[in-house]
Each structure stands twice: as structure tokens, then as C-alpha cells.
């Protein structure tokens, strides 16, 4: 079967499709884990129904070349509470001899790491029906749906790989807080429903939020809208019409995808695909850099990124209100010892005086008196505006972006684990060089696209 | 009869009450005009009822010392059309031998000027009932109401003088467009209704717009509100409940009066009264001065001030939108060859680059492409905001207040009669010295009040 694709997509696919060797290695790794689990479970759970099931992009055949990870579910005919209470200990016994660490998201699970390979082994109840099911319990049903649909059209698996690489290339791949973008499963659903990579981009180029994209024709728009009122993209889960597969996608990430789709269709280029994007020199803008130092392993990564984002958003708005011509904010953290927020501002110093608006002339007299007393001390400039407010001029307490930021930070909730806090102006500050990428508001793909115009 | 007043008010009254000599001179002037009119009208209008009636502050006994003007109505038992068609010519004949010029507001009238004295002689229908009457035709009824009420309380005439001087001192006296303040009749009504100068200031210090002040207890608030929806001060005319005596008063002038009343009551001072206000050196702020030169006698003064105000308001808003930290605007014109508008701005130069927000990523594709093409040429900085807009950085076309103002002026309706237009930055421009008073946003009384705090 021939799959119809453009030259650029063929080139991208050659760069992102896993090699035969890679698949062989992962397949042996899977056999090793599977056999170990199966022989153990046969002994540990006599008379109980169970199944070891590979899920994830390897199992679905939609994996990218730079991925060396497996996801394996251990489905046991026991309820949620039993799994929560006993699942981890059971798997730990069964995987004895392999280097495994316990992790926890909603569910406990184990991660096996071996010679650069990784497998997440997740215990879950064996269920026959996806409706009303929670969190990771849906994963086996997702796999089943994707595999069945991909069997009907062999071209789609590679188109999913193209989409994932495209999403990575434009920085919108991943449902985690750090990104707020498109998950792997969402990528699969979108390609299957649209019928291909180009077809999806064509649809996306016409999207206007809120977008409702309904792969199975559930017609659940109204219910989804009520449950996800802030979601700009509503994609009912093919295995559960009341769940939005795109719940993590922010308005900004959706906008970036729509714009990239439009620009790609106008002029397809390999730089939209993550594996083929050339390095781009940053063009840093001036601004203020806030560096938190401490031990941030105390927070789950999603929570750390979320707190960092709230700090940056609050600073961005407050600096804007103070009169700084802010451009953007960017975040970075190694999720260990350092977390940084950069707020771009075309100017980092304001005029030494500012207009201040006080109470209305008919306002509470104590406030009127206080305002006038301050004006009397600060240059004796005051007047009444057309709306009846008393206005005046005052020296700015802080005209520098660093001092304004410091004062604002002292009023914001901090980040747990912080031991040190540095605030510096960029360019100029000692750590601005590390932050050059954060100080450039333009994503690489967009810089490359602009260069062609 | 002793009138209860403070020391400051007694001092102010000594400065503003007309002298005996002044009243004698005006009285002779009135007799001259009155006799000339009466002997003439007896011949010109045989069998028609008519009356020559002095009105205005001289006739009401509420005049200030620096006023040397009379108002004389010639009331004739003929309808409005007859007066309009024949009034001017009739008076012109009757006043033959005196230096009289014809003027026109709603009505034609004649002005007699003699050795520094002036009398406006106004023809109007002789009416018995003030309801439904228009414009100047109300004047005789106003006079009658004021005179009758002043007869009951001899102190009030001087309190009216105090209020007029106070209103002049704080720059809110006069119903003309230039001021947008309190007319002489409104001053009389307010004092009569409040029962005195101090009593009125006490009331005003508690005002909060919209203020309804009802001297005759008409209870016409709802009707007035509907007819004057934008008036911050509603004072039903004692001789016509459907008319707002305070229709000219702007929100700003009302606010200035309320604030001055509060500050005066806290600490009475002679500088609130126009005749006793010491000169105050201006503290000019930076800004832009627009000078129109030409022949502005082609416009009635109210219309000229109105157009000048609209130009200044439009420039003020547009400069604010452009990012200038504007403070205030002020106007000046000799109503002949020069008209000036000053817009204060704490900075007169902006940063050379600015943030520009473009269409949403899902916007009309032509606009998206155009916006990105411009960004590509101007530094290749572009990004998507949290709301999905495409933003970027562009060099400012005009960073100087003079060039921004010039461009804006080219889009605004001009002032008829203009022959030349100068725009200059202050301080620095050649004409900024003349405009020093305009460049100071603080009224003298408020500067003096601030100095005491």
C-alpha cells in the first residue's frame, strides 16, 4: 500500500521512524519483563484472572525514533482498592532482580531501567467496559481503540509519528503542566479521525476556538462544554464521551498549533519537525530574571511548574500594571535545584515621576486629605480630572524593574523548597546568559518561518 | 440687622462689595438709558403696553465691585416673532445718539458702551407667566424671584457676592463653554435656598453627584434627570421646574467646587476669593503646545472654545493611548487671532520600540500573513499570547510627542478661520513661555491650599 505524502513529510518520516534494530531491542526488553511477570503472577495469583499487556506508543506502533521506553500494564481481576493496597508490593516481588523504582502519580507503579531502556509497569483492575473508568484504567481501552483503527489504514501510524514530531517541533507536545499541550493519545485520535497528517492540518487551519472535534460522532458537545468550560479544544474520548481528551491544551498552545498548521500548509518545511529543526540563535529581549534556588524535588514536577507559572503570570501582570512595556514570560527548571522565570520588558527603567489618581473630590474626606497632604509634600501638583477625581504627580518609589519585581515577589506565595532568590536585570545580570533562550519570546519554528517571509 | 459671618468672609466682602460711588455712576447711567428709551417708546408704540426694566446683578443688588455693566430689558406686549423682526431696529432708533452695537445670542440685542460703562439692552415680549417661556424671556422672572426673596433676608445679597467671588477665585464662575461653571443666577438661587454662604458650603461639602438641590421644593428630580441625563448638578429653576439652572455645570467644575468648599470649611482663607488671591508662580509640566493662528472672530466665542476643547480632548486621549503619561489639558484663546491647547505629559519621548498585538492565530489569514510579514522585516520577534493573539515588537514610527501630535491633528476636524498651525514641545519651544500657565495643571487656589498642608 502506498501512502500519499509530500516530499517534506517523507523526509521527516525517515528521520523520526524507529529503526528495525531499535524495535528489536525493545521487543527483547518487553519479552524479558513480560515473561518474568507472567511466571511470577501465575504463582502469586492462583485462580485469579490477569493479563500482562503492553500499551503506549510501542504497543500501538506509533513510536518515535528517539523514544526508548515501554509501558506495560498488569491487569488483574481485582477492584481498585485491592490494586492500590497490594499492586505495588506484588509487582516489586515479581520484578525482583531487575533495577526497579516505585513511582506514584494517581496510581503507584514501578519503573524498570536497564541499559538506557525504561519500562513503566502499572498495575490496574482488569475491566471489560471503559465507561466510568478512572485515570490510567482507561489506557488499555485507548490502546485497543487505536490498534483496531490503525489496522484499517496502515498509513495512519506513520502520520501519527509525523504529527507527534510536528507538535514537538513547535513546542506543544505533552499534556504536562510545563507544556499544556497535546498528549500522545490525543495525537493518535486526531490523525485517525482526520484521516491523515495533511488532512488534520487542513482542518486545524480552519479551527477557531472553542473547537469541537468529535472522532466517534458522540455528539457530546454540550455535556463536554459544561464539564470543561475553559477548554479551547473539546475532543470527546472515543472510549468515553464525557471525557475531553484535549483537557490539558491551553488556548496559547492551540493557537500555536493553528498558526503552525497554516504556515506549514502554505510552505511545508522540515524545520517544523523536531528531529530536523536546525539550531536557532536566540535574540534575547531585555527584562527581569528571577532565579529560585533550593530543593524542588519536594514537589511533583507538575506542581513545581504550576507554581512557577503562577509566579511568572503574577509578575507579568503586575509589571504591566506598573507601566512596564512587558512582552512575554518564560519558565525553566531542572526540577531539582534551580527554577527560573523571565519576564520580558522593552524598557527596564521607568520615568522618575508618575501621574497618580486619588479619590473623587466627593470621596471620604480622610482619603481626600491624605491624598492632598502627600501632593503638598511631593511638588504641589494636583488637579481635578474631567470625571471628578483628584489627580497629581508623585515621584516613583521604584523606577527600576528589579526593585519593583523584588517588592512584588515579597507579596506573592513562594515556591516550597526555596532557599535562595535572585532577581536581576537582563541584559547585564550575571545569570542572563543562561537565560538567553528564555529572553527570546519567539519560538524557533516561528523565527525560521519569519525568515522566509 | 447683623449678618453672621467669619473674619475671612468680612474681609473678602470689604474687597468685593461695590462702592457707593460705583453705584451712583451706574445709577446715572441707568437713568440716562431708561429715560431715553421711555420717551422714545411712548412715541413709537402708541397704545401698546411696554416696560423698561433693569435686570442683572445691579438690579438685584448682588453685583461685584469689578463689574461696570448693566442689563436692561425692554418688555413689549408683542409676540416673539414681532420682537425678533422689529426689536433691534426699534431699539436702534430709540438709542440714537449713544454708541450702540448690535449683538446676537438667541435674541438680537444692543450694547451701549460709554466711558468704560456698558449696558446690554434686550428687547423681549412682555409676559405674565414664566412657564414654557424660552431663553432670555425668563430673565425678568428670575429677577423678580431673587428680589422678592432677598427682601426677606437682607444678609443674603452680600452672601451671594461672597459666593460669586469664591466661584471666580476657584475658576468655576460662568456658564459659558470656556468655563462650564456656575452662572450668576445659579449662585443667587443656591445662596437663597441654602440660607447663606457658609450654609451652602456646608451642604456642598456633603454633595456627591448627581446632586439634586431643589430650592422651591418642586420635586421634579425624575423629570430633570430624564431631560438632563449627563448633568451632575440638578437645580430646578424656581420659576420653571422643568429647567435645570445648573445645566452648564460640568462634572469637573462641580468637583472643584465641592473640594474647595471642603478645604475652605476646614481652614477659611482669603485666597479663595477672586479679589484677594495673590499671584502664584506657575510650575509648568512638560508637554506639547498646539497654537492655531488665524481669524477666529468668524466663530461665536462659545463655539470657538467648544471646538478648541474638542481638539484638546481628542489629543489628550490619543496621546494617552499612544503610551504618553499625560496629565491634563488646558486651553487659551483671545477669541481673535490666537487659540492654544496644551497637553501635559510627564514624558515627551517614548522608547524607540513597542509591543504590537496582531490578529488571533485563527484570524483572517490575510491579516495573519500581513502581520507576520511585517514582523519578519522588523527584527523577527513574534509570539503567541496566552489569549491566542499573535504579538510582536516594532520600531515606533514616531517616538516624539510633537510628531505624534502633528499626525493626530491631521486627522482631526480643524478650527474654522485657522491660517497657521504650530506644534512644539515644552519646555523648549519658542512659545512655551506664554503657555507657562497652561502647562501648570494645578489651579492657583489649590496650589495655595496645598502649601498650607
Amino acid at each position: 500500500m502506498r501512502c500519499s505524502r509530500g516530499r517534506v513529510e517523507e523526509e521527516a518520516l525517515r528521520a523520526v521512524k524507529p529503526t528495525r534494530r531499535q524495535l528489536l531491542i525493545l521487543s527483547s526488553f518487553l519479552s524479558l519483563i513480560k515473561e518474568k511477570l507472567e511466571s511470577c503472577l501465575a504463582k502469586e495469583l492462583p485462580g485469579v484472572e490477569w493479563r500482562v499487556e503492553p500499551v503506549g506508543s510501542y504497543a500501538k506502533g506509533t513510536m518515535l525514533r528517539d523514544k526508548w521506553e515501554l509501558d506495560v500494564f498488569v491487569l488483574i481481576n481485582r477492584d481498585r482498592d485491592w490494586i492500590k493496597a497490594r499492586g505495588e508490593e506484588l509487582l516489586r516481588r515479581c520484578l525482583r532482580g531487575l533495577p526497579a523504582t516505585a513511582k506514584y502519580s494517581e496510581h503507584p507503579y514501578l519503573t524498570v531501567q536497564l541499559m538506557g531502556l525504561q519500562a513503566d509497569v502499572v498495575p490496574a483492575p482488569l475491566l471489560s467496559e471503559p465507561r466510568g473508568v478512572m485515570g490510567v484504567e482507561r489506557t488499555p481501552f485507548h490502546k485497543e481503540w487505536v490498534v483496531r483503527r490503525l489496522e484499517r489504514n496502515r498509513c495512519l501510524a506513520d502520520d501519527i509519528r509525523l504529527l507527534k514530531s510536528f507538535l514537538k517541533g513547535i513546542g506543544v507536545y505533552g499534556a504536562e503542566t510545563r507544556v499544556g499541550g497535546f498528549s500522545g493519545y490525543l495525537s493518535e485520535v486526531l490523525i485517525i479521525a482526520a484521516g491523515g497528517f495533511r488532512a488534520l492540518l487542513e482542518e486545524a487551519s480552519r479551527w477557531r476556538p472553542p473547537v469541537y472535534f468529535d472522532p466517534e460522532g458522540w455528539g457530546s458537545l454540550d455535556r463536554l462544554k459544561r464539564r470543561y468550560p475553559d477548554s479551547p479544544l473539546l475532543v470527546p474520548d472515543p472510549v468515553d464521551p464525557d471525557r475531553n481528551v484535549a483537557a490539558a491544551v491551553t488556548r496559547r498552545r492551540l493557537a500555536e498549533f493553528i498558526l503552525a498548521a497554516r504556515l506549514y500548509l502554505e510552505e511545508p518545511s522540515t524545520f517544523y519537525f523536531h528531529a530536523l529543526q536546525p539550531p536557532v540563535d536566540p535574540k534575547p529581549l531585555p527584562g527581569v530574571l528571577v532565579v529560585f534556588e533550593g530543593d524542588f524535588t519536594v514537589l511533583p514536577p507538575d506542581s513545581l511548574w504550576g507554581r512557577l507559572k503562577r509566579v511568572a503570570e503574577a509578575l507579568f501582570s503586575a509589571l504591566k500594571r506598573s507601566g512596564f512595556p512587558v512582552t512575554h514570560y518564560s519558565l525553566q527548571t531542572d526540577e531539582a535545584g534551580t527554577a527560573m522565570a523571565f519576564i520580558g520588558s522593552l524598557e527596564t527603567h521607568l520615568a522618575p515621576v508618575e501621574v497618580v489618581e486619588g479619590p473623587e473630590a466627593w470621596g471620604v474626606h480622610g482619603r481626600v486629605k491624605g491624598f492632598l497632604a502627600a501632593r503638598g509634600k511631593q511638588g504641589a501638583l494636583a488637579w481635578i480630572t474631567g470625571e471628578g477625581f483628584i489627580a497629581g504627580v508623585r515621584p516613583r518609589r521604584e523606577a527600576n524593574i528589579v526593585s519593583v519585581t523584588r517588592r512584588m515577589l515579597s507579596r506573592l506565595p513562594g515556591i516550597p523548597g526555596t532557599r535562595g532568590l535572585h532577581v536581576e536585570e537582563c541584559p547585564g545580570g550575571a545569570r542572563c546568559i543562561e537565560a538567553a533562550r528564555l529572553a527570546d519570546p519567539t519560538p524557533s519554528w516561528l523565527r525560521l518561518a519569519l525568515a522566509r517571509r
Side-chain angles (χ1 to χ4, degrees), chain A:
Chain A
M1 176 182 183
R2 279 288 302 269
C3 302
S4 133
R5 282 189 197 100
R7 189 190 50 75
V8 170
E9 285 118 68
E10 289 296 350
E11 188 180 341
L13 198 55
R14 281 194 296 278
V16 301
K17 208 170 171 166
T19 58
R20 272 192 62 203
R21 197 173 145 268
Q22 179 184 7
L23 293 176
L24 270 173
I25 293 171
L26 285 167
S27 150
S28 323
F29 185 41
L30 176 59
S31 301
L32 169 73
I33 289 169
K34 200 162 182 256
E35 281 159 23
K36 209 164 160 62
L37 285 168
E38 282 173 347
S39 66
C40 167
L41 290 169
K43 274 180 255 159
E44 292 278 345
L45 300 174
V48 178
E49 198 186 346
W50 53 261
R51 191 167 86 238
V52 175
E53 176 156 337
V55 294
S57 63
Y58 170 80
K60 291 182 275 193
T62 61
M63 201 180 69
L64 292 182
R65 184 179 300 176
D66 47 12
K67 178 142 181 185
W68 292 87
E69 289 157 43
L70 297 177
D71 297 282
V72 179
F73 267 52
V74 177
L75 302 169
I76 303 166
N77 193 9
R78 284 284 178 269
D79 67 13
R80 207 167 277 154
D81 292 336
W82 189 97
I83 300 289
K84 282 217 172 179
R86 312 204 19 204
E88 185 191 338
E89 178 48 33
L90 172 68
L91 294 188
R92 200 184 278 284
R93 268 201 309 283
C94 285
L95 292 169
R96 198 169 290 154
L98 288 175
T101 29
K103 295 201 177 166
Y104 204 98
S105 61
E106 311 149 61
H107 241 70
Y109 66 97
L110 289 178
T111 292
V112 178
Q113 279 175 306
L114 199 67
M115 296 183 298
L117 302 174
Q118 181 179 311
D120 287 343
V121 184
V122 184
L126 179 67
L127 301 166
S128 54
E129 226 276 318
R131 291 252 192 153
V133 141
M134 279 159 61
V136 297
E137 294 169 9
R138 269 188 217 97
T139 306
F141 298 101
H142 290 165
K143 175 200 163 185
E144 192 190 342
W145 184 83
V146 170
V147 167
R148 202 174 303 151
R149 298 295 293 264
L150 293 184
E151 277 164 7
R152 295 192 212 157
N153 181 345
R154 292 283 164 195
C155 292
L156 292 183
D158 281 346
D159 276 17
I160 288 168
R161 291 189 173 100
L162 282 175
L163 177 63
K164 286 181 178 178
S165 176
F166 185 88
L167 295 172
K168 280 191 170 197
I170 63 167
V172 307
Y173 186 72
E176 58 270 32
T177 305
R178 179 174 69 83
V179 182
F182 296 68
S183 67
Y185 177 54
L186 175 58
S187 310
E188 290 157 348
V189 170
L190 291 174
I191 290 293
I192 289 167
F197 177 69
R198 280 279 182 136
L200 176 68
L201 295 198
E202 297 279 3
E203 294 218 24
S205 72
R206 291 184 298 268
W207 281 351
R208 183 184 181 90
V211 175
Y212 181 62
F213 190 89
D214 188 1
E216 286 287 24
W218 289 119
S220 56
L221 172 61
D222 288 342
R223 263 141 62 207
L224 274 197
K225 255 193 178 166
R226 234 172 295 126
R227 212 168 145 188
Y228 300 88
D230 299 323
S231 274
L233 178 58
L234 297 161
V235 181
D237 192 335
V239 308
D240 182 349
D242 290 330
R243 186 184 162 258
N244 180 16
V245 185
V249 177
T250 64
R251 197 168 173 87
R252 176 177 168 191
R253 294 310 179 201
L254 177 63
E256 287 173 327
F257 177 55
I258 292 172
L259 181 62
R262 287 179 169 201
L263 298 183
Y264 181 86
L265 291 175
E266 225 171 82
E267 187 172 8
S269 308
T270 51
F271 65 72
Y272 290 95
F273 299 96
H274 81 292
L276 295 171
Q277 195 164 82
V280 172
D281 284 338
K283 286 193 176 194
L285 287 182
V288 65
L289 178 66
V290 179
V291 183
F292 297 88
E293 284 178 334
D295 176 11
F296 303 117
T297 59
V298 297
L299 289 175
D302 250 24
S303 160
L304 172 60
W305 283 96
R307 280 170 180 267
L308 192 56
K309 186 176 177 190
R310 281 194 293 281
V311 167
E313 273 174 350
L315 289 177
F316 181 86
S317 308
L319 288 170
K320 186 172 190 175
R321 275 197 307 278
S322 291
F324 287 96
V326 288
T327 53
H328 71 294
Y329 67 81
S330 314
L331 316 173
Q332 192 47 265
T333 172
D334 57 8
E335 300 176 4
T338 308
M340 301 198 285
F342 179 90
I343 294 96
S345 176
L346 296 179
E347 290 172 81
T348 53
H349 295 260
L350 298 176
V353 286
E354 64 181 337
V355 173
V356 52
E357 192 159 277
E360 290 167 310
W362 43 84
V364 177
H365 198 54
R367 283 199 62 217
V368 169
K369 281 172 68 173
F371 186 81
L372 291 175
R375 300 290 74 68
K377 288 188 199 93
Q378 299 174 348
L381 288 156
W383 62 91
I384 312 288
T385 70
E387 293 75 38
F389 288 87
I390 312 174
V393 172
R394 72 170 168 209
R396 241 186 249 274
R397 261 184 303 177
E398 295 145 332
N400 177 287
I401 200 166
V402 171
S403 39
V404 178
T405 303
R406 278 223 184 85
R407 182 169 47 81
M408 286 162 181
L409 278 169
S410 70
R411 294 188 198 154
L412 290 175
I415 298 180
T418 303
R419 280 195 291 264
L421 181 59
H422 306 280
V423 181
E424 57 184 45
E425 187 183 332
C426 292
R431 305 192 63 166
C432 292
I433 304 291
E434 304 172 46
R437 183 67 58 194
L438 299 183
D440 183 348
T442 309
S444 297
W445 64 274
L446 186 52
R447 171 74 38 74
L448 291 161
L450 289 177
R452 305 217 157 181
R453 288 173 179 263

